Amino acid sequence: SIQHVYGAQHPPFDPLLHGTLVKPGSKPPTTPVKLKKVSTFQEFESNTSDAWDLGDDDDELLAIAAENLNTEVVMETAHKVIQNHSKLQEQHKFQEEHLQEEKQEEFAQLTSAACGDNRLVKSVSEGHTASASDNASENSSMQRSQSLPQTSTPPLVSGMGDYNTSVTPALTEREASRLDKFKQLLAGPNTDLDELRKLSWSGIPKQVRPIAWKLLSGYLPANVDRRESTLQRKRKEYFAFVEQYYDSRNDENHQDTYRQIHIDIPRMSPEVLRLQPKVTEIFERILFIWAIRHPASGYVQGINDLVTPFFVVFVCEYIEEEEVENFDVSILAEEVLQNIEADSYWCMSKLLDGIQDNYTFAQPGIQKKVKMLEELVSRIDEQVHRHLDQHEVKYLQFAFRWMNNLLMREVPLRCTIRLWDTYQSEPEGFSHFHLYVCAAFLVRWRKEILEEKDFQELLIFLQNLPTGRWGNEDISVLLAEAYRLKFAFADAPNHYKK
């Protein structure tokens, strides 16, 4: 039997936990009602702040903050605020044109007063206008890149560079403020993990991501004094496993496992990693040791991809380069490489502990999640669901990989890392919340899906979605929509059944 998803109502963090859900058809309260314990809309907004552009929407959001949260309010307001992002681009364009006209008129008046030669006035005015236009365009472009979720980003080289080149060298005021909050939280003798999850939901700054991931995954303790001894013990324990098991990779009963690992690693993404012999060696050890120590599932294709984000994040802990697409991992000290290897192994193990039924015999966890996705989409967007059904496209044909690889093959590595910031801060993020992300991800392409009228073309599109230029803004909007869906459906007992 299919178990329903109740991800939104579980601790440790749910900003809408105590919101009163209003039944469809009933009117929302018109006056503030005093609650014993209720979360405000500001808290929901602040915890998804990178998907909510603070600006003209503030008054509208604050107006409903005092009222009880209900499904209709959250769904309507979230949709409206996300739509307002796209309107900002038109506003910036109008302001730019207005400013340009004012400057052109002012300069023309000054020049005509100083010189009677109309040709000279025209020439100087045109030159000034071009300069003003360039500056205004540059400023407008910078504003859009910081605030608009739909802004297109320039194409990036795939690989480790995707993760690093997406980080701008100069921090904005908001980024610097967020970094300070993380540093203050991590500087205390005991890190408040609930607060860390709240901060991390909207993304983790690159500088503190390695330590934050280790804490959120449960690999490191919250107590600062215990961390170093824990790291030493766990790293020593991992290499004891290597010494005990790795030589058995050539044994007859383990040859199939090792051979499959050896075949899969050259297929992983990004390419820059798989071309380095040292990286291949590290990944083979991590995957073989995990498979030997988890005989219920053993090694399954797809697990190899789950090592990559941890490995890349932990490599960046030891290097200063902003762009590392050509970085040779082998030049790092042997001790550093061993630390990265052991930390990647343990964090990957923690992740897989929560979704291990995805990789046991016949992969029942994935089969169940794909079925849940199909039924959820039929409720969210019946037109898309009916279109897929009419063209005989089965969800397993494209969504199996979404569940098996946690969307790693669908979005660039930089986006996967941003996505995992939220997954690790969300309760059951890699299992239950991932379902809503996949639903939002599918509906995101509804226009393109409905335009395709051929089975083959439709399936090719779904297996090769155009996300190459995606950045943090796109992921933030996707996560905001996924959270809206989770909140709307989590307390609906029959939301998987018609």
Side-chain angles (χ1 to χ4, degrees):
S1 62
I2 296 174
Q3 295 183 358
H4 309 305
V5 175
Y6 300 99
Q9 64 186 33
H10 282 316
F13 166 56
D14 178 15
L16 303 176
L17 179 62
H18 302 288
T20 304
L21 294 178
V22 178
K23 295 181 179 179
S26 62
K27 297 182 179 179
T30 56
T31 57
V33 180
K34 186 175 181 182
L35 298 177
K36 294 181 180 179
K37 187 175 182 182
V38 63
S39 297
T40 65
F41 195 88
Q42 293 102 317
E43 182 179 348
F44 171 56
E45 179 194 4
S46 66
N47 285 291
T48 56
S49 58
D50 61 347
W52 303 77
D53 189 15
L54 302 182
D56 297 336
D57 307 320
D58 287 356
D59 294 338
E60 184 178 351
L61 297 178
L62 294 175
I64 69 165
E67 298 183 7
N68 295 345
L69 287 176
N70 58 71
T71 305
E72 294 178 359
V73 171
V74 173
M75 291 178 66
E76 180 182 352
T77 307
H79 182 65
K80 181 178 291 186
V81 175
I82 292 174
Q83 278 187 326
N84 284 343
H85 281 285
S86 59
K87 294 180 182 178
L88 286 180
Q89 186 171 6
E90 297 178 6
Q91 294 175 6
H92 287 313
K93 184 177 180 181
F94 173 78
Q95 292 171 359
E96 174 188 333
E97 292 175 352
H98 184 65
L99 178 63
Q100 177 181 334
E101 290 175 0
E102 285 185 349
K103 288 189 174 182
Q104 182 176 355
E105 183 179 352
E106 179 183 353
F107 189 80
Q109 291 174 354
L110 292 174
T111 310
S112 61
C115 178
D117 189 343
N118 291 333
R119 288 175 298 176
L120 178 60
V121 171
K122 181 179 180 183
S123 175
V124 175
S125 177
E126 286 178 348
H128 178 77
T129 301
S131 176
S133 176
D134 289 345
N135 291 336
S137 177
E138 182 175 311
N139 292 337
S140 176
S141 177
M142 182 177 296
Q143 291 172 351
R144 288 196 298 269
S145 68
Q146 294 173 357
S147 62
L148 294 176
Q150 298 299 338
T151 300
S152 61
T153 55
L156 297 172
V157 179
S158 63
M160 290 176 66
D162 286 349
Y163 162 60
N164 290 279
T165 53
S166 65
V167 182
T168 53
L171 294 178
T172 64
E173 183 177 348
R174 179 178 177 277
E175 290 171 339
S177 174
R178 279 180 54 77
L179 180 58
D180 287 341
K181 289 180 181 178
F182 273 95
K183 287 183 175 179
Q184 290 175 12
L185 183 60
L186 295 170
N190 288 285
T191 301
D192 187 333
L193 295 181
D194 288 339
E195 285 299 318
L196 182 60
R197 290 188 184 96
K198 291 180 182 180
L199 273 180
S200 301
W201 205 100
S202 299
I204 305 174
K206 176 187 173 183
Q207 296 89 331
V208 295
R209 184 175 274 132
I211 181 67
W213 276 26
K214 291 172 186 175
L215 288 166
L216 291 172
S217 66
Y219 175 43
L220 282 185
N223 184 274
V224 175
D225 295 335
R226 293 175 50 212
R227 288 178 192 166
E228 187 59 35
S229 60
T230 299
L231 282 174
Q232 292 180 3
R233 176 171 54 82
K234 299 299 285 186
R235 289 166 178 171
K236 184 178 180 181
E237 185 178 350
Y238 168 72
F239 282 101
F241 293 152
V242 172
E243 185 176 353
Q244 180 178 358
Y245 298 116
Y246 195 57
D247 287 342
S248 67
R249 63 188 183 279
N250 294 319
D251 292 355
E252 185 176 352
N253 56 331
H254 293 152
Q255 274 187 0
D256 290 342
T257 297
Y258 183 72
R259 187 184 300 112
Q260 188 61 56
I261 291 172
H262 199 69
I263 291 173
D264 285 349
I265 288 179
R267 300 172 179 170
M268 71 185 188
S269 180
E271 182 181 6
V272 68
L273 285 177
R274 67 172 182 250
L275 294 179
Q276 297 188 37
K278 191 68 178 178
V279 175
T280 299
E281 177 187 331
I282 290 172
F283 274 55
E284 285 180 356
R285 276 199 296 267
I286 290 175
L287 295 169
F288 184 77
I289 298 302
W290 189 89
I292 294 300
R293 299 197 70 248
H294 295 80
S297 61
Y299 174 76
V300 177
Q301 284 180 291
I303 295 179
N304 56 306
D305 282 329
L306 306 185
V307 184
T308 307
F310 292 115
F311 183 82
V312 171
V313 168
F314 296 153
V315 163
C316 291
E317 183 179 7
Y318 295 95
I319 63 177
E320 297 180 357
E321 287 85 348
E322 284 294 336
E323 299 181 5
V324 294
E325 64 267 21
N326 297 317
F327 183 76
D328 184 4
V329 174
S330 63
I331 68 174
L332 292 173
E334 188 63 29
E335 182 181 357
V336 168
L337 287 174
Q338 289 180 353
N339 293 344
I340 294 170
E341 179 178 345
D343 295 347
S344 299
Y345 170 83
W346 287 115
C347 288
M348 183 200 73
S349 296
K350 292 286 186 181
L351 186 162
L352 288 171
D353 284 347
I355 56 173
Q356 192 168 349
D357 63 339
N358 285 9
Y359 303 104
T360 52
F361 178 73
Q363 298 182 263
I366 291 180
Q367 302 276 352
K368 181 173 69 175
K369 288 184 178 69
V370 171
K371 182 63 176 175
M372 292 163 71
L373 175 65
E374 180 178 355
E375 296 181 348
L376 182 57
V377 172
S378 71
R379 306 277 297 199
I380 296 169
D381 196 325
E382 187 176 2
Q383 188 177 4
V384 168
H385 175 73
R386 196 185 314 116
H387 186 77
L388 295 175
D389 185 57
Q390 287 174 350
H391 291 83
E392 299 182 349
V393 175
K394 305 300 181 185
Y395 281 73
L396 270 175
Q397 293 172 320
F398 62 89
F400 185 91
R401 190 172 71 180
W402 296 8
M403 300 298 178
N404 193 51
N405 302 87
L406 298 177
L407 289 177
M408 278 197 62
R409 296 296 179 96
E410 319 311 318
V411 298
L413 179 60
R414 61 182 177 273
C415 296
T416 297
I417 290 173
R418 167 63 190 91
L419 194 63
W420 284 24
D421 288 344
T422 299
Y423 279 0
Q424 294 190 90
S425 60
E426 182 76 19
E428 298 182 306
F430 289 100
S431 52
H432 289 166
F433 188 61
H434 179 65
L435 172 69
Y436 293 97
V437 172
C438 289
F441 187 62
L442 179 61
V443 176
R444 160 69 175 77
W445 308 101
R446 75 180 313 274
K447 178 177 178 292
E448 293 84 351
I449 290 172
L450 294 177
E451 287 175 352
E452 296 290 351
K453 305 298 183 183
D454 177 73
F455 165 79
Q456 185 174 350
E457 294 298 322
L458 191 55
L459 194 57
I460 289 175
F461 174 76
L462 288 169
Q463 292 178 344
N464 300 275
L465 293 166
T467 59
R469 296 189 177 189
W470 272 33
N472 286 349
E473 298 86 358
D474 301 279
I475 293 298
S476 297
V477 173
L478 179 69
L479 288 168
E481 178 64 14
Y483 190 88
R484 185 184 72 84
L485 293 176
K486 186 186 78 165
F487 176 73
F489 288 96
D491 287 328
N494 295 318
H495 77 285
Y496 286 142
K497 301 176 181 178
K498 289 190 176 182

